[in-house]
């Protein structure tokens, strides 16, 4: 969509969610994806950083490998030292002078152009990059690096208009208005490996509001980050607005957080890292108080009532717990199941888990790929081994691991009689789901336990056909999940439909995919214009009393 089109339509702009392609056999999108996968896997990509619109190569290289075929090198990324990070900050500050003053129509036009490019010729490039570099299946890539990222780019324009439209009342003879200024400084965008859409949104959302960005992606998502940056440049993003740097997280963060010009941090990652970031920022002085927006960890639950639909519940456990190898902030990892329902659910889950195909995501018959790297694999392998030997735990299904060719962890179902085991309290971020049973009569008690037993508050769901039971869970778990689902899995939030984020130890709950997130990236200025200003200080009450 070009700028002229935007000018004619923007005030009535009403986006729709991007359709999700099916990739069924013999479909044209499947053929295009498979051809793109083959081509990109056969290349050796040189990945420079992008600072002030220029490619920056340092010669300090990190290899990028496929998680599902770790002997296969996709390319090498040039990494930053302090000098390159300082250059990125300098470029962001220089670009801010023009970008912060540009018309919102022009800014919107660039990101809407990026959305249209991604919906077209760039779709399978971003999908293939996400599949190869992050081991997502075709469906998981499609709903992430295509549909969700397109939705962020389009819906954020509508959300921006909602922010700008919020204006004060004007009394007779005056005009009051709010100028939604970009933050004064640069925004540091720190993005995770698990969602290409999150990587795009954390950089593009503040930029849409007129801010400039230093972007550090996860080391495990550099492949898709490279192509995403090229997409934005193809859409006409000016130099210096978003500056992409690879490098050691400590080196990049120390320089960015140490700059007096830090205006904000847009973060998705672990709770521990975010807490350290807060401590660092809290101990330093800046030109303005930085806006800190973070989405962090989760220990997400599925609660079943005795009236739950067994088939729907089993499907939610499998999709909510094992899609993308459980590497979603929202993935289900805690089950609370009534004793009357458990024998049938355990049998159903065991049968389905045994059928799940795990392997190279280029084989589109696979439901799961590999976990992201060796460190993650060893963490999950250790957790499964611990469960096998723990007196209060039982391995109910799955549990096999193999890292000879790829970092494969098969879907694993555990049960426990000890609610304090780490499998029920610690975010493992893998395909490991643990069930705790409760007496059917203790439904209200288990609701209280769920609310009190985790430091997190991201997502959760309840399954029941009893409306009273649903109401009890909705009230009792009001603060246990920022995204709460009724008779559905606790994953798969859609932009414009379920704004995403949680509180407690899960972040600042600024709801990505909504106007609430965009409001964090502006600094309002109130302007009052008086058409007939007072020309005397004298008030009527000051008159002398009549004799």
């Amino acid at each position: 969509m070009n700028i002229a089109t935007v000018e004619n339509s923007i005030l009535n702009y009403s986006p729709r969610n991007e359709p999700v392609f099916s990739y069924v056999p013999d479909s044209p999108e499947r053929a295009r994806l498979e051809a793109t996968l083959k081509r990109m896997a056969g290349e050796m990509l040189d990945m420079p950083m992008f600072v002030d619109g220029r490619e920056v190569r340092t010669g300090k290289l990190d290899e990028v490998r496929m998680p599902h075929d770790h002997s296969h090198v996709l390319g090498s990324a040039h990494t930053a030292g302090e000098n390159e990070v300082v250059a990125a900050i300098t470029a962001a500050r220089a670009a801010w002078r023009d970008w912060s003053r540009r018309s919102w129509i022009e800014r919107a036009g660039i990101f809407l152009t990026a959305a249209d490019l991604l919906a077209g010729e760039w779709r399978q490039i971003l999908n293939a990059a996400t599949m190869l570099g992050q081991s997502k299946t075709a469906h998981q890539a499609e709903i992430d690096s295509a549909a969700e990222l397109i939705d962020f780019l389009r819906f954020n324009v509508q959300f921006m208009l909602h922010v700008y439209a919020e204006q004060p009342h004007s009394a007779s003879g005056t005009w009051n208005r709010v100028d939604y200024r970009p933050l004064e400084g640069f925004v540091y965008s720190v993005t995770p490996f698990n969602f290409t859409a999150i990587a795009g949104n954390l950089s593009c959302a503040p930029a849409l509001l007129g801010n400039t960005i230093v972007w550090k992606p996860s080391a495990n998502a550099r492949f898709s980050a490279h192509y995403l940056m090229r997409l934005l440049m193809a859409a006409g993003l000016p130099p210096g607005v978003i500056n992409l740097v690879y490098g050691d997280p400590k080196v990049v963060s120390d320089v960015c957080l140490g700059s007096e010009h830090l205006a904000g941090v847009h973060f998705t990652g672990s709770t521990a890292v975010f807490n350290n970031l807060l401590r660092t920022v809290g101990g330093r002085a800046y030109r303005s108080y930085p806006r800190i927006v973070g989405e962090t960890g989760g220990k997400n639950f599925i609660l079943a009532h005795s009236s739950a639909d067994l088939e729907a519940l089993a499907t939610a456990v499998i999709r909510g717990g094992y899609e993308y190898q459980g590497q979603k902030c929202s993935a289900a990892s805690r089950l609370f199941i009534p004793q009357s329902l458990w024998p049938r659910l355990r049998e159903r889950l065991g049968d389905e888990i045994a059928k799940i195909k795990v392997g190279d995501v280029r084989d589109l018959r696979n439901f799961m790929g590999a976990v992201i790297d060796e460190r993650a694999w060893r963490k999950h392998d250790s957790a499964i081994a611990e469960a096998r030997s723990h007196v209060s735990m039982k391995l109910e299904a799955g549990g096999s691991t193999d890292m000879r060719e790829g970092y494969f962890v098969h879907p694993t179902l555990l049960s426990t009689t000890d609610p304090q085991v780490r499998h029920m309290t610690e975010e493992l971020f893998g395909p490991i789901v643990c069930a705790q049973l409760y007496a059917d009569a203790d439904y209200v008690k288990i609701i209280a336990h769920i609310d009190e037993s985790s430091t997190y508050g991201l997502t959760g769901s309840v399954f029941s056909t009893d409306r009273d039971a649903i109401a009890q869970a909705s009230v009792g778990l009001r603060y246990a999940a920022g995204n709460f689902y009724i008779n559905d899995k606790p994953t798969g939030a859609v932009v414009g439909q379920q704004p995403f984020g949680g509180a407690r130890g899960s972040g600042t709950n600024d709801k990505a995919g909504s106007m609430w997130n965009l409001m964090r990236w502006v600094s309002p200025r109130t302007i009052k214009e008086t058409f007939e200003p007072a020309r005397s200080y004298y008030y009527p009450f000051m008159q002398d009393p009549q004799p």
Side-chain angles (χ1 to χ4, degrees):
M1 185 179 290
N2 60 38
I3 293 174
T5 304
V6 174
E7 289 175 339
N8 292 329
S9 63
I10 198 73
L11 292 177
N12 296 312
Y13 185 65
S14 181
R16 296 181 180 180
N17 291 110
E18 176 70 10
V20 175
F21 291 0
S22 67
Y23 298 93
V24 296
D26 300 322
S27 64
E29 67 264 20
R30 185 181 181 116
R32 286 193 294 269
L33 176 62
E34 290 178 332
T36 307
L37 285 167
K38 183 176 181 180
R39 174 180 61 80
M40 291 173 60
E43 298 170 346
M44 182 66 70
L45 185 66
D46 178 59
M47 286 169 272
M49 295 175 285
F50 293 89
V51 175
D52 201 19
R54 298 189 300 270
E55 298 181 1
V56 175
R57 292 175 172 84
T58 62
K60 296 179 288 186
L61 300 174
D62 277 352
E63 288 184 335
V64 174
R65 297 170 179 264
M66 296 184 190
H68 45 272
D69 183 3
H70 50 60
S71 65
H72 189 131
V73 179
L74 292 166
S76 295
H78 293 261
T79 60
E82 289 186 15
N83 290 340
E84 289 75 29
V85 183
V86 170
I89 294 172
T90 301
R93 292 188 60 213
W96 182 89
R97 298 186 189 97
D98 174 67
W99 184 248
S100 65
R101 294 171 173 81
R102 285 206 186 192
S103 162
W104 57 266
I105 293 176
E106 189 174 356
R107 297 196 308 264
I110 291 169
F111 291 107
L112 292 176
T113 299
D116 279 5
L117 290 174
L118 182 52
E121 61 187 279
W122 283 80
R123 190 185 202 103
Q124 302 312 340
I125 295 174
L126 262 290
N127 279 345
T130 301
M131 292 174 69
L132 296 173
Q134 290 142 263
S135 201
K136 287 203 166 185
T137 62
H139 175 71
Q140 291 298 306
E142 170 69 13
I143 62 175
D144 167 24
S145 47
E148 185 175 18
L149 183 49
I150 292 167
D151 286 350
F152 274 131
L153 293 169
R154 289 177 175 162
F155 276 85
N156 278 346
V157 172
Q158 185 184 61
F159 301 146
M160 176 183 66
L161 294 178
H162 290 169
V163 172
Y164 289 168
E166 185 64 32
Q167 294 293 329
H169 173 71
S170 294
S172 177
T174 65
W175 179 22
N176 296 318
R177 56 196 183 272
V178 172
D179 170 20
Y180 290 97
R181 304 169 298 177
L183 304 181
E184 192 176 14
F186 72 95
V187 173
Y188 180 35
S189 174
V190 184
T191 65
F193 76 83
N194 58 338
F195 279 93
T196 301
I198 292 177
N201 186 56
L202 264 60
S203 299
C204 292
L208 176 65
L209 274 296
N211 297 283
T212 55
I213 316 297
V214 175
W215 172 26
K216 188 204 79 63
S218 165
N220 290 316
R222 291 171 177 170
F223 197 60
S224 60
H226 172 86
Y227 287 103
L228 177 53
M229 191 67 204
R230 290 208 178 276
L231 165 66
L232 294 173
M233 294 170 69
L237 187 73
V241 174
I242 297 177
N243 301 276
L244 172 61
V245 294
Y246 307 124
D248 180 271
K250 186 177 187 308
V251 172
V252 179
S253 292
D254 282 352
V255 177
C256 288
L257 301 183
S259 171
E260 67 171 325
H261 301 288
L262 178 72
V265 178
H266 210 186
F267 174 93
T268 294
S270 75
T271 302
V273 171
F274 188 62
N275 288 342
N276 185 62
L277 183 153
L278 286 174
R279 285 191 292 269
T280 301
V281 171
R284 293 177 177 169
Y286 300 94
R287 185 168 183 177
S288 299
Y289 290 109
R291 303 287 176 85
I292 310 296
V293 175
E295 192 259 293
T296 58
K299 191 64 180 172
N300 311 298
F301 62 86
I302 294 178
L303 166 63
H305 183 257
S306 58
S307 66
D309 180 318
L310 183 69
E311 185 176 355
L313 175 61
T315 299
V317 172
I318 291 171
R319 285 188 168 181
Y322 303 130
E323 280 188 318
Y324 191 42
Q325 299 78 264
Q327 296 174 129
K328 298 183 180 184
C329 309
S330 57
S333 60
R334 297 190 293 161
L335 307 181
F336 298 90
I337 310 298
Q339 291 174 345
S340 63
L341 203 61
W342 176 241
R344 289 179 294 145
L345 179 63
R346 177 179 56 191
E347 181 179 8
R348 177 64 181 272
L349 290 175
D351 291 344
E352 294 299 328
I353 287 172
K355 299 174 188 176
I356 290 175
K357 289 182 170 62
V358 181
D360 193 319
V361 294
R362 290 172 290 181
D363 181 347
L364 270 60
R365 296 170 298 179
N366 288 323
F367 179 76
M368 291 170 55
V371 297
I372 195 64
D373 58 20
E374 182 177 349
R375 179 181 177 184
W377 184 91
R378 292 193 180 281
K379 178 180 180 180
H380 305 324
D381 182 64
S382 174
I384 293 170
E386 180 182 335
R388 289 179 188 274
S389 61
H390 200 291
V391 65
S392 69
M393 301 192 71
K394 183 179 179 182
L395 176 64
E396 301 286 358
S400 61
T401 62
D402 186 350
M403 63 169 282
R404 287 172 295 177
E405 294 183 4
Y407 302 116
F408 295 114
V409 179
H410 287 249
T412 301
L413 178 65
L414 309 171
S415 64
T416 184
T417 57
D418 181 1
Q420 300 304 316
V421 294
R422 71 185 185 99
H423 304 72
M424 291 294 286
T425 58
E426 179 183 321
E427 183 184 40
L428 298 175
F429 219 64
I432 301 172
V433 176
C434 190
Q436 178 183 336
L437 310 187
Y438 70 92
D440 290 36
D442 289 340
Y443 181 68
V444 173
K445 291 181 180 178
I446 203 67
I447 289 173
H449 168 74
I450 295 170
D451 183 51
E452 297 166 358
S453 60
S454 176
T455 59
Y456 298 106
L458 191 52
T459 75
S461 64
V462 59
F463 277 79
S464 176
T465 57
D466 182 328
R467 295 305 306 182
D468 288 339
I470 291 171
Q472 287 175 309
S474 183
V475 172
L477 298 171
R478 190 179 184 195
Y479 288 91
N483 282 61
F484 186 65
Y485 298 80
I486 299 170
N487 291 319
D488 202 353
K489 60 184 174 64
T491 63
V494 177
V495 176
Q497 297 187 36
Q498 299 95 29
F500 188 78
R504 294 182 174 172
S506 292
T508 57
N509 202 20
D510 286 292
K511 294 299 185 190
S514 74
M515 66 176 288
W516 299 303
N517 182 278
L518 295 194
M519 289 180 71
R520 298 302 307 277
W521 308 117
V522 291
S523 179
R525 176 177 67 148
T526 301
I527 301 171
K528 177 187 178 184
E529 182 174 353
T530 301
F531 302 128
E532 290 292 335
R535 290 176 172 81
S536 171
Y537 74 91
Y538 201 82
Y539 291 102
F541 77 89
M542 298 166 60
Q543 297 179 39
D544 291 331
Q546 294 297 320

